[in-house]
Amino acid sequence: MCRIFVSADPASYESRTRSVRLHGVVTSVRLENLHWAVLEEIAARDGLSVAQLIETLYDELVAERGAVGNFASFLRVCALRYENLIAQGLIPRDASVPIRSLDAERVLGAQPRPVAAWRGQRSLS
């Protein structure tokens, strides 16, 4: 089982820091190369740069939650969630279909309920 995971290209899990401008303020975001690649794909689907995508996600997170905690972790989860939604068939694999064209309520309504471990109710030992 582990060979599937340990055979990953080491370059995919090397971290890279990018400077991004959020409303005129320059900040740095450090993510693994694989996460950057997924964010690039998401951005390209809607004709955005990665910086524009990050600013949009930041703004929508602030509007929804009122604050931003660990933004780098949020971006990692966005990348993983995108891949998971594609695997579930809730987002088309066809990268020519813009994310903004999807019905968010339909996508979110079709998702299975969260696993208890996501809510901290179960520990891995």
Side-chain angles (χ1 to χ4, degrees):
M1 172 190 89
C2 291
R3 190 170 189 295
I4 292 169
F5 302 107
V6 299
S7 64
D9 179 358
S12 68
Y13 52 86
E14 287 177 2
S15 294
R16 183 173 31 156
T17 302
R18 288 191 182 181
S19 292
V20 293
R21 189 175 299 272
L22 297 173
H23 302 293
V25 177
V26 177
T27 188
S28 296
V29 179
R30 184 172 183 85
L31 299 173
E32 295 72 23
N33 288 326
L34 187 58
H35 290 112
W36 284 121
V38 174
L39 292 175
E40 287 167 5
E41 180 177 319
I42 295 168
R45 287 182 79 141
D46 281 296
L48 302 172
S49 68
V50 173
Q52 290 170 320
L53 172 67
I54 288 173
E55 188 171 56
T56 299
L57 290 170
Y58 179 87
D59 290 347
E60 291 183 10
L61 182 60
V62 168
E64 181 75 22
R65 304 278 182 210
V68 175
N70 186 336
F71 190 58
S73 290
F74 171 75
L75 292 173
R76 286 183 187 93
V77 170
C78 288
L80 183 59
R81 186 173 172 123
Y82 171 76
E83 293 293 342
N84 184 264
L85 290 168
I86 287 175
Q88 292 179 48
L90 299 172
I91 290 179
R93 186 163 298 282
D94 180 355
S96 70
V97 177
I99 299 296
R100 71 177 172 275
S101 72
L102 304 176
D103 179 352
E105 296 305 318
R106 185 195 65 78
V107 171
L108 296 173
Q111 281 190 274
R113 296 196 52 127
V115 176
W118 294 353
R119 294 180 299 223
Q121 295 178 4
R122 204 170 57 165
S123 64
L124 299 174
S125 17

